[in-house]
Amino acid sequence: MSEWQPDSSVLTQLVEVLSKNDADTGVQQLVFAVGFDICASRHVFLLTHDPQYVNDFMKSIDSFRYLSYVLIQKQLNSLARSKAGLLLKSHVERREVLQNLAQHPDIVYYIKQCAFRAVSDDDAQVRKTGTIVITGLVSADISHGPEALQVLLSLVDGANTNPEVAENLSVYLEGLYRRANDNTKEIVKHVCQGLVFAVEEFPEPVQDRMKDIIMFMLRCCDSGDDQVAVEACEFWLAFAETDSFCDYMDPYLGDDNDLMKMGPDKDDAHISDRAEDLAPVFHASKSHANEQVAEQKRMQKQAQKTQSGNADDDDDDLDLDDEDEDDDASEWTLRKCAAAALDVLANIYQETMLGYLLPILKESLSNPDWRVKEAGILALGAISEGCIRGMEVHLPELVKFMLGCLTDPKPLVRSITCWTLGRYSSWIVYGPEFSEAQGPHDPSYFEHALRGLLHMVMDNSKRVQEAGCSALATLEEVACEKLTPYLSFILGVLNAAFGKYQSKNLRILYDAVGTLADSVGEALNKPEFIPVLLQPLIVKWEGVTDDNRDIFPLFECLSAVAIALGPGFGPFAPNAAKRAVAANEQPEDVDIDFATVSLDLVSGMIQGLHEGSAQLVQTSDPPLIDLLLYCINEKNPDVRQSAFAVLGDMAIFLFEFIRPRLNQILPITIEQIKRRTAMTDFREMSASNNAIWATGEISLQLGAEIQPVVGTLLPELVHIVRLDKRAFAKGRTLQENAAITIGRLGLVCPAAVAPELENFILGWCEAVANMADNPEKESAFRGMCKMVALNPQGVFNVEVTDAFCIQQYLVYLCDAIVRWRTPSAELNEAFKTLLVDYKHNKLGPERWEAVSANFPVIVKDLLQRRYQI
């Protein structure tokens, strides 16, 4: 609210005039009864004791502030407040007045804020007057509509006690419908905005007019005005999010609207990037995941993007930033909006939409106009996820077509083809997932796509370079070990690219190299590969200063390379460690992103060199352990996240360095795990995730010595695994790590953890059920077997007679056991011992048969096959 304050003498006189009740009673009743009627407020001067005073008063621009002020003063009488509002509305609804007020945005802002406050006033008449003022503002200038609607919708939950709000919403929507045929583009744009907001936040009132709204939006999409079309495209995103609207779209799926806008078309690899073309670089800290397979790595990458603000909550959102070089990366263009809308609609209507779209795609892809062909390739990529089931039978022909488009003379066609090929990487590498394959998948699709994208990496257009590099990284994530036979060729191209790329595309190139390292791992650690991989990175390392933010993607890349090369990274490790640690010599003064990226590089070197990194720790200046203690207690969660990752790595490979400081480390680590903000704040969640994982690694090293902190630590871990899995979907990795750490505590201190078994057994089993087999999961299950042996009634009370209750608990444990694909011989024997004991000793064969009769068929079959149970 503005800091403006009225002159007391002027205010007193105004209130006195407005408070007098000697006007014609019939007119007064008319005004209060009609409420929204436009003519009523024009007679407001009849309600005043001194009409001439009012006319003179309104000549001052400050009169609008005074009337707004009176409207919200609860200590004043209702009559004065309502008259002030009606008088205010009678003027602001006039366009010439509002145009004059537009020269005073502070006054317009003050009027709106007072009107919004009045809508939620305790006085019914004031509430109605507030909505009248808002209606007047929107009637005169619809650009105020979206903000007004947002405020009204925020109050709609109380519509039963505040009917003025619900009524005003209806009036507002009717106003939007009336203005839909306006010829003024600015007004049409605001009508689009208002309808989109209504669809998103308050869909019920617009449902009856949905067919008209769809036709209006289709016209706007094809209006020829980019700003109007962008706002109209937003409608399809909002529309698709509302399940009840889906049926309305069927009659319109066949409509064809050309929504694509092309950018510049040029070869420009030789032109240096301008400083203003380079977006700021931010670093996203590492988050430990239990299943280090390709899918998990992709999820981790997406999580890191989300953390750094480069993605939203949905992992599957369409990302066109890589291929829209000529747009501001943060600008929501018509092109991006149209493609995103197509993506959303494809996910809703799937094969139904494909039936309408295929003829359009066929026509577009064969069109001699390269612009139409480019738009078709973009559309093909946009529907890749939602329509994949129906698309698979067409992909052999379409992928061959797109591979041919990589040689198109137009850079814009080549770049969008790279992006679309990346969207179909899974099919290119592995073949159809949903349709029946006609024989083995042809590996030449993968080889030709790989070679084609590598050719694009060396293109003479920056735009194509960027798209090619980005698509290559996507293909690498999917292909993993299938890349190994081609490593010599891949590394040769990437090495050459370092000598060709300007600053902006170097960042994408670093990502492609790092993703390659993540995907093929130690396959890179060969004498013939190491110099080809490291030489250009060392050149960039030596040429970039610590205050240049381009160092962040370089450090991230080197971290992945260090893990992959392992001992092969050794010769370069001392220089890398020295720079990473020295950069944090005064941690309170260091840039947060630089601190996290440096810690992540240290983490990568420890993971790669294992015990061989001890010398790096011994010679670090300042001492790494001192730096680590500072960073795990840092106020910034990103720094804590990276620091806890280093702590976990040191617990695995360099425990002797942290053991003497555990009396300081463990209390800080437990405090991080206890942070309840980790349940809602993604950055805190990631820091807690790494703290939990590090604690589990420390417990394995300490053994029974961890017991003094179990009583404090265990309730926090139990709380996490018991959270509802559906409501807490984003915390899946956090719950998995909590379950692993509980199991590990049970492994080293079973007597301390087993008594609590009944409090976490169900959540624990759910958390680990979908994890891939790995050593971390095995250690946790070994701990669980120990706890169950000590406290069998923790799984369920064997004295109860209700077989259904027993089955409800036991099936979770049995399901978690049979989900193992290749348990070790030791673990498999532990499972068999546990199950046989339950069947023959704890329950008895008859009760076991009664309980297991309702197990899922697959669980019963696997129990019989593996354990003869």
Side-chain angles (χ1 to χ4, degrees):
M1 186 66 69
S2 171
E3 296 179 357
W4 176 85
Q5 293 294 324
D7 179 279
S8 58
S9 60
V10 175
L11 179 64
T12 300
Q13 187 175 6
L14 174 62
V15 172
E16 181 181 347
V17 171
L18 294 174
S19 298
K20 294 205 175 169
N21 190 15
D22 56 356
D24 181 83
T25 302
V27 176
Q28 176 177 311
Q29 290 175 344
L30 170 67
V31 173
F32 287 141
V34 173
F36 293 113
D37 191 288
I38 295 176
C39 68
S41 57
R42 290 179 180 168
H43 294 290
V44 72
F45 71 94
L46 294 175
L47 302 180
T48 63
H49 177 66
D50 190 347
Q52 186 59 47
Y53 166 82
V54 172
N55 287 333
D56 293 340
F57 176 76
M58 293 305 299
K59 293 177 182 178
S60 168
I61 195 69
D62 266 348
S63 62
F64 296 95
R65 281 195 175 108
Y66 277 97
L67 294 173
S68 302
Y69 182 86
V70 171
L71 177 63
I72 61 172
Q73 299 307 304
K74 294 186 177 183
Q75 75 275 15
L76 299 179
N77 63 78
S78 178
L79 179 62
R81 297 172 67 191
S82 298
K83 286 183 183 179
L86 291 170
L87 187 58
L88 180 64
K89 188 259 187 182
S90 70
H91 284 75
V92 299
E93 70 179 359
R94 292 155 54 190
R95 289 193 179 185
E96 66 274 16
V97 173
L98 205 56
Q99 287 173 355
N100 182 40
L101 280 174
Q103 307 302 316
H104 305 275
D106 55 328
I107 296 179
V108 176
Y109 175 79
Y110 188 80
I111 294 171
K112 288 194 292 186
Q113 296 308 303
C114 289
F116 294 155
R117 181 184 292 186
V119 170
S120 58
D121 197 272
D122 295 336
D123 189 301
Q125 189 57 53
V126 172
R127 291 198 302 268
K128 178 173 286 191
T129 307
T131 58
I132 290 172
V133 174
I134 294 173
T135 303
L137 279 168
V138 175
S139 297
D141 185 353
I142 201 168
S143 67
H144 299 301
E147 182 185 5
L149 183 59
Q150 187 169 8
V151 171
L152 293 171
L153 289 174
S154 70
L155 301 170
V156 81
D157 286 342
N160 290 333
T161 57
N162 188 354
E164 298 83 6
V165 173
E167 184 180 356
N168 196 244
L169 283 172
S170 178
V171 172
Y172 170 75
L173 291 172
E174 287 300 324
L176 287 177
Y177 301 147
R178 288 197 301 270
R179 303 300 289 272
N181 293 319
D182 200 296
N183 293 324
T184 306
K185 290 181 179 179
E186 191 68 19
I187 290 177
V188 174
K189 184 180 76 171
H190 289 303
V191 170
C192 287
Q193 290 174 340
L195 289 173
V196 168
F197 194 89
V199 167
E200 289 176 335
E201 303 294 339
F202 201 63
E204 290 82 4
V206 302
Q207 193 153 336
D208 292 340
R209 303 289 292 271
M210 185 51 65
K211 293 182 179 179
D212 294 333
I213 294 174
I214 288 174
M215 293 304 300
F216 168 71
M217 293 298 179
L218 288 172
R219 290 199 308 271
C220 290
C221 286
D222 205 24
S223 66
D225 184 273
D226 286 356
Q227 290 185 340
V228 171
V230 167
E231 299 301 337
C233 280
E234 289 283 357
F235 167 78
W236 305 114
L237 298 174
F239 177 92
E241 293 296 325
T242 308
D243 293 340
S244 60
F245 289 166
C246 291
D247 292 342
Y248 288 100
M249 191 60 189
D250 288 342
Y252 307 98
L253 286 175
D255 283 4
D256 181 16
N257 289 276
D258 181 10
L259 305 176
M260 307 307 168
K261 175 185 176 183
M262 307 317 306
D265 184 21
K266 58 191 178 183
D267 281 357
D268 56 359
H270 61 288
I271 302 174
S272 298
D273 292 332
R274 300 175 302 169
E276 57 266 32
D277 293 333
L278 303 179
V281 181
F282 302 98
H283 172 64
S285 304
K286 289 183 178 180
S287 184
H288 179 80
N290 294 295
E291 304 168 28
Q292 291 300 321
V293 293
E295 180 61 23
Q296 282 264 358
K297 289 176 180 176
R298 286 196 295 274
M299 292 181 65
Q300 180 173 326
K301 260 181 175 286
Q302 184 64 30
Q304 291 172 349
K305 287 181 182 179
T306 303
Q307 179 186 331
S308 60
N310 294 329
D312 53 30
D313 291 341
D314 188 345
D315 289 350
D316 299 323
D317 279 348
L318 193 70
D319 184 359
L320 277 166
D321 284 347
D322 290 339
E323 87 88 25
D324 266 332
E325 178 192 79
D326 298 293
D327 298 323
D328 186 318
S330 63
E331 183 183 356
W332 189 232
T333 63
L334 173 59
R335 178 182 181 77
K336 294 178 185 178
C337 191
L342 195 57
D343 176 42
V344 172
L345 291 172
N347 275 282
I348 297 295
Y349 295 103
Q350 299 182 3
E351 282 75 51
T352 302
M353 178 174 170
L354 189 60
Y356 295 105
L357 195 57
L358 275 176
I360 301 171
L361 281 174
K362 184 177 180 180
E363 180 181 346
S364 299
L365 296 176
S366 60
N367 197 295
D369 187 335
W370 69 269
R371 295 173 179 83
V372 178
K373 181 168 72 172
E374 196 274 354
I377 298 171
L378 170 59
L380 185 62
I383 66 171
S384 61
E385 181 184 317
C387 295
I388 186 62
R389 288 178 181 270
M391 286 295 297
E392 284 188 339
V393 296
H394 304 285
L395 285 179
E397 179 183 354
L398 287 172
V399 169
K400 289 178 182 177
F401 168 80
M402 287 189 285
L403 290 173
C405 290
L406 292 177
T407 61
D408 192 282
K410 291 294 183 180
L412 288 166
V413 173
R414 299 198 299 275
S415 67
I416 196 60
T417 301
C418 291
W419 178 79
T420 299
L421 281 170
R423 297 274 286 178
Y424 288 100
S425 288
S426 182
W427 185 91
I428 289 171
V429 176
Y430 298 109
E433 180 182 358
F434 301 103
S435 57
E436 186 174 347
Q438 302 298 315
H441 183 59
D442 187 350
S444 67
Y445 288 113
F446 168 57
E447 181 173 345
H448 289 154
L450 177 61
R451 292 185 180 277
L453 291 176
L454 285 167
H455 188 65
M456 296 300 96
V457 167
M458 295 300 293
D459 199 272
N460 288 324
S461 163
K462 293 179 183 178
R463 184 188 189 103
V464 178
Q465 290 174 358
E466 180 181 9
C469 235
S470 180
L472 175 65
T474 302
L475 190 68
E476 290 171 344
E477 287 180 335
V478 174
C480 294
E481 70 280 353
K482 289 183 178 291
L483 296 165
T484 304
Y486 307 96
L487 280 178
S488 181
F489 180 52
I490 296 171
L491 290 172
V493 172
L494 295 178
N495 181 290
F498 276 104
K500 185 171 186 175
Y501 277 23
Q502 304 295 336
S503 297
K504 181 181 178 182
N505 282 352
L506 272 177
R507 301 171 182 177
I508 310 295
L509 183 57
Y510 288 138
D511 181 65
V513 173
T515 303
L516 178 67
D518 286 338
S519 299
V520 302
E522 61 184 13
L524 286 173
N525 189 28
K526 293 185 177 180
E528 64 269 29
F529 294 158
I530 293 173
V532 182
L533 178 60
L534 280 183
Q535 181 269 334
L537 295 175
I538 293 173
V539 171
K540 297 301 179 185
W541 170 274
E542 293 173 346
V544 66
T545 59
D546 289 353
D547 59 355
N548 186 335
R549 297 185 77 85
D550 281 342
I551 202 171
F552 299 159
L554 174 57
F555 270 43
E556 291 169 350
C557 176
L558 283 168
S559 177
V561 168
I563 296 171
L565 292 184
F569 194 78
F572 182 63
N575 285 338
K578 181 178 179 180
R579 187 172 187 179
V581 174
N584 292 279
E585 188 170 359
Q586 300 294 329
E588 65 276 4
D589 299 325
V590 76
D591 178 273
I592 293 298
D593 287 319
F594 199 11
T596 55
V597 77
S598 299
L599 288 166
D600 288 347
L601 179 54
V602 170
S603 172
M605 287 187 286
I606 295 174
Q607 290 179 64
L609 297 172
H610 296 186
E611 291 80 3
S613 60
Q615 186 178 1
L616 304 180
V617 178
Q618 289 169 340
T619 59
S620 67
D621 184 23
L624 180 59
I625 192 65
D626 291 342
L627 174 64
L628 192 61
L629 268 168
Y630 179 88
C631 289
I632 63 173
N633 205 30
E634 227 280 339
K635 63 181 180 181
N636 186 284
D638 299 333
V639 175
R640 279 183 268 123
Q641 178 184 345
S642 293
F644 283 121
V646 175
L647 176 63
D649 295 328
M650 292 186 71
I652 297 171
F653 302 112
L654 304 169
F655 187 65
E656 68 274 16
F657 290 97
I658 65 172
R659 185 181 185 112
R661 309 292 286 274
L662 285 178
N663 62 324
Q664 297 169 274
I665 291 172
L666 284 175
I668 298 172
T669 306
I670 293 172
E671 280 303 309
Q672 174 65 54
I673 296 171
K674 292 169 69 174
R675 289 175 185 260
R676 286 292 183 258
T677 52
M679 303 304 107
T680 54
D681 185 309
F682 182 83
R683 295 163 72 205
E684 288 290 356
M685 184 188 299
S686 298
S688 293
N689 179 65
N690 284 0
I692 291 169
W693 167 70
T695 303
E697 297 294 346
I698 290 171
S699 68
L700 288 184
Q701 299 289 347
L702 273 182
E705 294 179 50
I706 194 75
Q707 184 164 338
V709 302
V710 169
T712 304
L713 181 60
L714 187 60
E716 305 304 325
L717 300 174
V718 170
H719 171 77
I720 293 170
V721 299
R722 291 183 63 177
L723 291 169
D724 184 273
K725 303 299 181 292
R726 290 165 297 182
F728 195 50
K730 292 183 179 180
R732 183 172 69 88
T733 301
L734 185 72
Q735 291 184 309
E736 289 176 352
N737 274 315
I740 292 296
T741 300
I742 289 173
R744 288 176 159 184
L745 291 174
L747 179 65
V748 298
C749 299
V753 185
E756 299 298 320
L757 192 57
E758 64 179 320
N759 293 325
F760 62 79
I761 183 64
L762 295 186
W764 190 92
C765 291
E766 283 187 297
V768 300
N770 293 313
M771 287 176 57
D773 297 0
N774 59 42
E776 293 182 355
K777 181 180 176 181
E778 173 151 341
S779 64
F781 268 84
R782 285 167 50 215
M784 177 55 69
C785 289
K786 279 192 173 186
M787 289 186 282
V788 171
L790 284 176
N791 181 22
Q793 291 192 347
V795 177
F796 58 82
N797 188 339
V798 295
E799 300 301 324
V800 300
T801 58
D802 188 340
F804 177 76
C805 291
I806 297 176
Q807 179 255 328
Q808 284 290 93
Y809 279 75
L810 189 59
V811 71
Y812 277 86
L813 182 59
C814 291
D815 178 66
I817 289 173
V818 299
R819 282 176 182 260
W820 274 87
R821 293 180 180 272
T822 54
S824 67
E826 178 187 357
L827 183 60
N828 208 44
E829 188 60 31
F831 287 156
K832 184 171 184 177
T833 300
L834 182 151
L835 293 167
V836 168
D837 186 52
Y838 267 117
K839 178 175 180 178
H840 294 287
N841 300 323
K842 301 299 189 300
L843 289 175
E846 291 185 8
R847 292 186 72 192
W848 173 271
E849 293 301 327
V851 167
S852 62
N854 293 318
F855 281 10
V857 173
I858 189 171
V859 174
K860 289 193 292 185
D861 288 349
L862 288 170
L863 287 174
Q864 174 61 36
R865 193 184 316 158
R866 292 183 186 175
Y867 307 111
Q868 295 75 54
I869 298 296

